[in-house]
Amino acid sequence: MPLNKKVLAIVLAGGEGNRLMPLTADRAKPAVPFAGSYRLIDFAISNLVNSRYLQIVVLTQYKSHSLDRHISEAWRMSTQLGNYVASVPAQQRVGKSWFLGSANAIYQSLNLIHDANPDIVVVVGADHVYRMDFGQMVDQHVRSGAKATVAAVRQPLNMANQFGVIEVDQNDPEKIAAFVEKPATTPGLAADPSQFLASMGNYVFDADALVEALHVDAERLDTKHDMGGDIIPYFVSQGEAGVYDFTLNDIPGSTERDRTYWRDVGTIDSFYDAHMDLISPMPIFNLYNSEWPIYTRQSISPPAKFVRGEGNTVGSALDSIVASGCVISGGIVEGSVLSNDVFVGRSSRVLDSVLMDKVNIGEGAVVKRAIIDKNVKVPAGAAIGLDHDLDRARGFKVTDSGITVLSKGQAVPEPDEAERALSAANLILVPDAVRAATERWSELRESVDKVAEVQAAAVGVSVHGHSTKS
């Protein structure tokens, strides 16, 4: 960071997140739990803090209680040193309307910029998963002389209609020639015609230029008061907008596999896929980079525990993330992410799923390709994610790609005999990771099959799927 530049960071965290319903039914999108221990907003704030930008305001609006509480508990700075992370709700400081868009949110909060009196304002979204050193972007911004700079990530051409698209000046690759919101098509990059530059929703502004642009936007009638849709095109029209290529960002401790990772987790499918990116032995996004840590509120829960259940059923987790306080009591977890204080009962299966805080999986229950929000109790013998018609009939959301989603505290009915038979049929299956490890060793596979039989028999299921209970 240039030593003579004072920087204020603004995090836009007022998003409603309709496409993430029902996970956003009771909370703002940036407050949605992620990766076992975090909230989505932790990635944006951690990037700013690791970049040594320690004066941060978070603009909130939609169902912000849990977000405000998380910020107050997790993000405490030394006020003696003038550092802070301040949650600022919509206040109707300008007129009687709430925030009308991301630009209007900053316009209605201009007092924050006036009070801090920065040279540079960094504006970031609160619901993306990535690592980024904003100091490198600010350095380029100052060096280029641009009034506004947009961070850009490379994306395949067929995704142009999902992003704000940046077209660069042919004579100056750091200058934006055109900025178009979600076009049907766009030209490919000269260096790689199969890709284009998509806006990451992260911006750097000269403070005085941003204030002026916000005043101009507020007086216009033909605007949605949006940072990407209105403010950036304004700077482009003035010839004062630059672009920062995210591939140039160098993060300590990163690898070639994850250094340019960025995900917009704005849909259930992308939220689920982002979790699956975390759990491979060589993860696509590595949470374990201690040189650029992701900070959050520390749980007071005890360490996770894996124990045998009744009948000597084996409690285990394979290719999974298991947070503090979890107890795997004779159940099997595979390819999943478990948040704090999850309980998995004997002989149950949790496969390719995301479970949030205090989810309880009853004995002999099977959960597959599901996202289950906090405080849900899954009864013994229940089946979730195995029959989508059954899931919908019980009021669960099922995406087009087949992910079943349960909302916070949603009731799960006691299973009938047909549902119990469905879950029972899956209890004798050997987990994929174990099957792969033993496929060349028949004698080992026979032993593993015996373990699976014990798991099933503990809740009254035979190898042939018939109940052993009277």
Side-chain angles (χ1 to χ4, degrees):
M1 180 181 73
L3 296 179
N4 61 335
K5 298 295 183 182
K6 183 178 181 181
V7 175
L8 173 69
I10 297 177
V11 181
L12 297 171
E16 186 172 353
N18 283 327
R19 295 181 299 163
L20 268 182
M21 290 288 284
L23 303 181
T24 50
D26 196 42
R27 58 169 78 91
K29 181 179 174 183
V32 172
F34 184 81
S37 302
Y38 307 95
R39 304 280 184 132
L40 285 177
I41 195 171
D42 290 329
F43 292 84
I45 300 181
S46 294
N47 284 325
L48 291 167
V49 168
N50 287 328
S51 301
R52 310 306 301 164
Y53 296 147
L54 303 177
Q55 294 183 334
I56 303 168
V57 292
V58 182
L59 302 186
T60 67
Q61 179 166 257
Y62 173 83
K63 294 184 180 179
S64 63
H65 171 68
S66 64
L67 179 60
D68 293 332
R69 179 177 177 179
H70 176 74
I71 292 171
S72 68
E73 292 177 348
W75 291 99
R76 298 178 181 179
M77 299 287 193
S78 171
T79 55
Q80 277 191 322
L81 301 178
N83 304 326
Y84 54 84
V85 177
S87 178
V88 181
Q91 302 176 76
Q92 294 187 337
R93 296 182 67 95
V94 181
K96 292 298 181 181
S97 65
W98 300 112
F99 294 158
L100 302 176
S102 54
N104 184 257
I106 301 176
Y107 176 72
Q108 291 201 41
S109 307
L110 281 176
N111 61 297
L112 302 171
I113 297 178
H114 295 320
D115 291 347
N117 193 29
D119 301 300
I120 300 291
V121 178
V122 176
V123 179
V124 304
D127 45 25
H128 300 139
V129 177
Y130 65 109
R131 282 188 174 89
M132 181 173 180
D133 182 355
F134 286 101
Q136 297 172 35
M137 181 178 174
V138 170
D139 284 344
Q140 178 187 299
H141 171 84
V142 173
R143 185 182 67 251
S144 70
K147 299 296 185 183
T149 299
V150 183
V153 62
R154 299 187 181 199
Q155 295 290 329
L157 277 182
N158 61 5
M159 297 181 66
N161 61 355
Q162 301 178 36
F163 294 97
V165 173
I166 297 167
E167 298 178 11
V168 299
D169 189 305
Q170 293 184 351
N171 299 317
D172 185 354
E174 291 187 0
K175 185 175 182 179
I176 299 177
F179 186 93
V180 185
E181 279 288 341
K182 301 179 179 179
T185 60
T186 189
L189 297 173
D192 187 349
S194 67
Q195 295 185 321
F196 71 98
L197 290 178
S199 172
M200 298 172 64
N202 297 334
Y203 315 103
V204 174
F205 299 96
D206 286 0
D208 54 353
L210 173 61
V211 170
E212 180 181 348
L214 291 171
H215 278 291
V216 170
D217 180 74
E219 294 171 1
R220 290 174 53 190
L221 299 177
D222 60 336
T223 175
K224 294 182 179 178
H225 307 294
D226 183 71
M227 292 300 295
D230 299 293
I231 299 301
I232 297 305
Y234 167 82
F235 281 105
V236 172
S237 68
Q238 304 292 312
E240 298 174 334
V243 59
Y244 177 76
D245 190 337
F246 181 52
T247 60
L248 302 177
N249 206 253
D250 186 23
I251 295 295
S254 65
T255 66
E256 285 304 311
R257 184 171 174 80
D258 82 334
R259 64 181 296 272
T260 57
Y261 183 93
W262 178 86
R263 260 199 191 272
D264 179 353
V265 289
T267 67
I268 291 294
D269 285 339
S270 61
F271 181 81
Y272 177 87
D273 290 343
H275 278 90
M276 297 301 105
D277 289 343
L278 305 174
I279 58 176
S280 64
M282 293 293 291
I284 301 173
F285 183 74
N286 180 23
L287 288 174
Y288 303 91
N289 181 356
S290 60
E291 297 183 54
W292 196 272
I294 306 300
Y295 299 101
T296 190
R297 180 181 68 85
Q298 295 303 305
S299 171
I300 59 172
S301 300
K305 183 168 69 170
F306 304 77
V307 296
R308 287 173 292 179
E310 295 180 35
N312 282 327
T313 55
V314 178
S316 64
L318 307 166
D319 295 335
S320 297
I321 289 174
V322 180
S324 299
C326 290
V327 177
I328 315 300
S329 180
I332 294 176
V333 177
E334 182 181 17
S336 298
V337 177
L338 275 55
S339 297
N340 297 311
D341 306 317
V342 169
F343 179 84
V344 180
R346 66 168 177 163
S347 298
S348 58
R349 296 290 177 88
V350 177
L351 309 170
D352 305 325
S353 295
V354 178
L355 308 188
M356 297 186 186
D357 292 359
K358 299 182 179 179
V359 169
N360 186 298
I361 308 298
E363 64 178 42
V366 177
V367 177
K368 185 173 184 179
R369 290 202 82 224
I371 300 171
I372 302 182
D373 209 338
K374 297 171 62 174
N375 302 324
V376 172
K377 181 177 176 60
V378 178
I384 294 176
L386 300 181
D387 182 333
H388 293 152
D389 290 335
L390 174 62
D391 290 338
R392 295 185 185 97
R394 291 177 291 179
F396 308 154
K397 176 175 179 176
V398 180
T399 68
D400 292 341
S401 66
I403 300 168
T404 300
V405 189
L406 277 67
S407 61
K408 185 178 177 181
Q410 186 166 4
V412 181
E414 288 290 332
D416 59 18
E417 287 303 312
E419 184 179 346
R420 289 181 183 275
L422 178 62
S423 60
N426 285 269
L427 293 181
I428 60 172
L429 299 179
V430 176
D432 290 341
V434 175
R435 184 184 298 111
T438 60
E439 63 184 2
R440 295 178 58 188
W441 307 93
S442 58
E443 61 273 25
L444 290 178
R445 179 59 184 273
E446 290 175 4
S447 299
V448 169
D449 286 337
K450 289 292 184 183
V451 171
E453 291 176 23
V454 169
Q455 296 281 119
V459 287
V461 177
S462 73
V463 175
H464 303 292
H466 301 300
S467 175
T468 60
K469 291 185 176 179
S470 59

